[in-house]
Amino acid sequence: MTFPNTPILDDFTRANTGPPPSSSWVTLPGSNGLRVLSNQCVVESGQSEGQSYYITPMTTICEAYLTAATFTTGSISLSVRFNLDTEIGYEALLVDNGNLGLYVGGILLASTTVSTGSGASLGISANGSVITVWHK
């Protein structure tokens, strides 16, 4: 099975801006935002984490994917069908020790161990009731 299956909505190829990375994104109050720096989406300077959400209507197929230019410590999280009011959605969480988990509403549904490091790619897809997580 190939991944991704949907077109890229934001490739971050533009002048440095943010947070948020553009008007198509929102940063929740009280959260550290993401920004565009040198054509990459990055955490706000001096922060160890950032949260921003792409504003798009939910459809039958929702995908999120990224390639981490650098990833040596911490974790990377991608969410689809995330409800900002209830803060519940499907989340793929990759931790620097290689743990990869699929969560819904903060509850672990499945996990595995994978290799990590700079250049790691992570994706999550929600197609109807089928939720899939990818890593390479």
Side-chain angles (χ1 to χ4, degrees):
M1 181 178 279
T2 61
F3 185 82
N5 297 302
T6 57
I8 294 174
L9 297 177
D10 193 336
D11 65 5
F12 305 106
T13 305
R14 59 181 164 277
N16 297 345
T17 188
S22 77
S23 61
S24 296
W25 292 78
V26 64
T27 299
L28 295 180
S31 297
N32 298 319
L34 299 174
R35 62 187 306 249
V36 174
L37 179 66
S38 300
N39 297 322
Q40 294 182 357
C41 186
V42 299
V43 175
E44 181 65 18
S45 179
Q47 302 297 322
S48 61
E49 64 180 57
Q51 294 180 339
S52 292
Y53 301 91
Y54 193 85
I55 305 167
T56 185
M58 292 185 201
T59 62
T60 303
I61 301 173
C62 297
E63 290 183 336
Y65 44 94
L66 63 78
T67 298
T70 57
F71 178 54
T72 54
T73 61
S75 63
I76 298 171
S77 171
L78 288 174
S79 298
V80 293
R81 294 192 183 150
F82 189 83
N83 183 310
L84 295 176
D85 294 325
T86 63
E87 296 188 5
I88 294 176
Y90 298 102
E91 175 186 23
L93 177 65
L94 177 61
V95 182
D96 58 8
N97 65 5
N99 288 336
L100 174 60
L102 171 61
Y103 294 81
V104 63
I107 298 170
L108 179 65
L109 300 180
S111 66
T112 190
T113 302
V114 298
S115 61
T116 63
S118 298
S121 294
L122 179 64
I124 184 169
S125 171
N127 186 350
S129 62
V130 177
I131 311 303
T132 309
V133 174
W134 280 267
H135 170 269
K136 74 172 189 171

